[in-house]
Every structure is written in C-alpha cells, then in structure tokens.
Amino acid sequence: MRPDHSPGQGETAPRRTAPNEIREVVTRESVTRESVTRAAGEFVRSQTFFDLLATRVAERTESQAPGNGLAAHAYLAEEIAPELTALGFTTTIHDNPESDEHPLLIASRIEDPQLPTVLLYGHGDVQFAHDSQWSDNLDPWVLTRDGDRLYGRGSADNKGQHTVNSLSLKTVLESLDAPGTAALGYNVKVLMETAEEAGSLGLKAFAAAHRAELDADLFLASDGPRIAAEYPTLFLGSRGALGFKLVVHDRDGDHHSGNWGGKLRNSATVLAAAVNSLVDGNGVIRIPTLRPEDPPASVLEAVAKLPEVIEAGSPEVDFDWGEPGLTSAEKVFAFNVIEVLALDAGNPAQVVNAIPGRAEAHMQLRYVVGTDVDDFESKVRAHLEGQGIHGVDVVFEHCMPATRLDPNARVVAAAAESVRTTTGLEAAIEPNLGGTIPNDVFAEVLGLPTVWVPHSYPGCNQHAPDEHALTSILQQGAEIMAGMFWDMGQNPDDWFTSKEATPDASQKTTPDASQKTTPDEPTETTSGKEPEAGTDSPSG
C-alpha cells in the first residue's frame, strides 16, 4: 500500500475549498449538460476535492460517543453552512429535540415560492472509529489515497457522499454563472443531521416540528451502497427493522439435571421451541402475521431486473435457505426474514449438568411494506400460546418502519433516464434496501416520494475498520448528480409531480403518516413503534 495523504507525502493539514474553485473546471465556451457532468466528475479527481474531504474526515464526529456535541456542531457550522451560504442558501443550525449533542441544519435556496422544491439530505456523523483495528499506515481520521481507494472514517458513510452531492449542485450553479441567483428553475432545501449512526435520534420529532421549513415535492439523497460497484443504483425506500427478545424465566438459578430432569421446565428447551415456532430450521417464517402481503407487480418486475451480483470475498449464498420459490433478490428486496442474532442460556464456556432456569434470544424482523407490525408483542405471544408454548415473554425493543416508493412512479423513470443519459448504463432499481434507513421520516412525516442515489459499494467497510470510498464511484456519482440537478430544471414535470394537499387522517396509510403523493406516485409505508437510539443504519 502506498498511502497518499496530500500533494506531498505526510502533509496532514489540507486547505479548504475556495468558493470559486469549481469554476476553473467548467467549460465556459459552451455550457451543455455533458460539459457540466464532466466538470463535476473531473473535480472529484482534483486535489481540491481530496483536501476538502480530508478536512471533513478529520472531524471526529462519532455520534454514539458521549461528549461529541461540539464536534457535531462544528461540522455543521464550519463545513456545511459556509459551503451552502456561498451558493445562496440561508442556513440555520437547530437543537435536536431529543439530544443536546446532535444538532441539525436546515438550509434553503428559494428562487420562487411557486416553483417546485427538492429536499436533499445527508449526515455528518460517523460510527466509532475503532482506531486500533485499522491496517498499518491507515488512520481513520486521516484521508489516505491508495489507488482508487480513499480510506478514512466517513469517506463512504456519509461525508464523501453528501460532499459529492453539494459540489455537484455547485458545479451546475457555477456553469450557469449565477450562484445565489435564480438559475435552477426550482428550489432546493437541505437537511443535515448528526445522529444517523445513533438511530437518527430526534429526527422524526424534528421533522414533524419543522414540516413547513422542510416542505418539498421530492426527496433526493445519497447514502448506503450500490448493489455492486459497477452498477449505478437507485433505491426507493428500505425494509423495516424490528428488534425484539424472547425471554423464558422459569426460576432463579439452575438445578441439577440428574435430580430434577423430567420434573422441571427447561427454559432453553422452551426457548428453542419458541424460536422454531416463529422461523423453522430452513429460515422459513412460520407465524402467518409476520409474512408480508404479495408485493405489487411493479415491485416484482423491478426486482426481477436486478443484476445477479457475486462480490469477491462474499459468503456463498445458501439457495435452499429462506422462503421457497423466491429468487435471492426477492428474498432480500421483496420478502421478510426473521433472524436470531444472539442466544443466551446456561454457561457455554463452562458447561455443567444443570437445567437452565432462564434463557433469552435476541431476534430481528426485517420486513417489507405489506406487513402489519402493530401490536407486535400481542400477536407473537398469541401465536406461541396457540402452538402450546407457554411462559415466553415477548419484549419489543425498537422499530424503524418499512417504506417503498412505487417503482412505476414518474420520478423513478426520470431518475433512471438521467442516469442512462449521463453514464450510458441502466440503473439497478431497488424498490427498497434490504437494510434499513430512516426513510419513514421523509416518506411518512413529510409525505415525499423518496429517491436515493448511493455513491458507495458493498465492500466499502462502512462501520468497520478500513472504511473507504472508491474515487471512481464518487466521480461517477458526481456526474450522475450533476445530470440530475440539470435535468430537474429542464424537465420539471418529470421530477416534481407530488405537490398536493396532505390527505386527512382517514386517508393515511399508517398512523401519524403525512402523505403528499399523487395516485401515480404512491409511497407505501408500514409503521411500527417509535425507533430508539441504536437502531439500524444504511449498512445494516
């Protein structure tokens, strides 16, 4: 590995981007869509971009670590606000309604209140760095180039991605020679949070309290991975993630199996039966209420078009695991799965001849739209009792709802065509991620059609040591986003079709959901309970 931290080996104090730096890259003689997208991609290859991202990676914004509120605020105040102000945005940093350490930023660039509006999103926080676990010559807080890879905490999740998006917007504005003036033909708002890696703590309450400031017609953001490095990808929502425990507590302490075996309930045996009644030994869900409805034809059609991907270093797929008759893609993008994450009974490190008096299983339901998770504990408990399994406590822990924009929505076609025009490639369109992100905040609370354009790939090691972004993907991502920002102004009717009055409560698809989509762009959602800190993030 030949690490490169800067123009000269070992330099660790990158300079900031001057407001007019991108202007030097843009072709001035004839402003065309092609010249703008090319300029955005070339800028990502520049030393100026590297220096800017290096400055941001150096900010230690670990949101799960207590005491990092100052770092989070500094990231918004010193990195994001000045960048957006230079582009004609008004910016305000807000307190988080549920945490003193996780501020949020709203920025608005309003050309005309009557024009449509796109809401952009990103998060400035990162996962724990795990400093000591990184490879030699790598530091999570120092951006390091090695070939196509840019190593550093946040390079992929999410500092690299939101930086690409803002600079792509800047490229379009600079090409029109009118930063800060009416040029795009639409309005832009930005929401930046600093608690995404802590389960987007406070985001839902904040969005509900600031609906007017965040009012828009389209949500567009970048986070999470592509389906594979070589495939530009769009995803339109995410599977829900519901964490729960099964607890069997028959008595305090364990008892000798010779003296008591056959007379006492074995908590571990009861727990094993409870797990098996929910999901069998082949991964098939056995509780009817946790199986989803049949997905719409548009979802199945989109999933059927996804490429078969075999990533180097990935585990071999168990084709006989999970719901029979489904393809691997359908199992991940169009169906549910119940996973056992951890089991606890007895003392495996020092086994004794004793009947466990207590056993516990940590479980997770990954679920798609069309799954009713309301009153979850009662449904699971009733199922267990109906199977003759008694004395099992079902403990709900957290839930992030499932959401999904119809793949046939007009804006999805516009986004896919934009990707095709820019890259010559067909976008892989995932109706929803297999993992989970706080998309319900934008789809339900704000009632927006949601389109995500990820600029990372599955092997990026986000949340793990040696996190890295691929410069080639960031470059192509910048070209794609510049093309989208250009196309929105050229063909607004294809992108902005949802500015409708919010339906009354009787029409909402989920409790407390605020839907704004028109019939040709339905956003499907399935709620559960409020998420808690520590719930899933895009990699999960």
Side-chain angles (χ1 to χ4, degrees), residues 277-322:
S277 75
L278 300 182
V279 54
D280 73 11
N282 293 308
V284 178
I285 296 175
R286 304 180 74 176
I287 170 171
T289 56
L290 297 186
R291 295 173 63 87
E293 299 173 354
D294 291 338
S298 60
V299 170
L300 293 177
E301 290 169 4
V303 171
K305 294 177 183 177
L306 291 175
E308 287 288 340
V309 177
I310 302 177
E311 291 280 344
S314 297
E316 185 177 347
V317 173
D318 295 312
F319 291 103
D320 58 352
W321 180 263

Side-chain angles (χ1 to χ4, degrees), residues 34 150 153 239 241 284 347 391 447 459 464 474 494 530 534:
E34 182 180 0
L150 294 176
R153 181 58 90 218
R239 280 202 292 189
V284 178
N347 185 358
L474 295 180
D494 291 336
E530 292 294 312

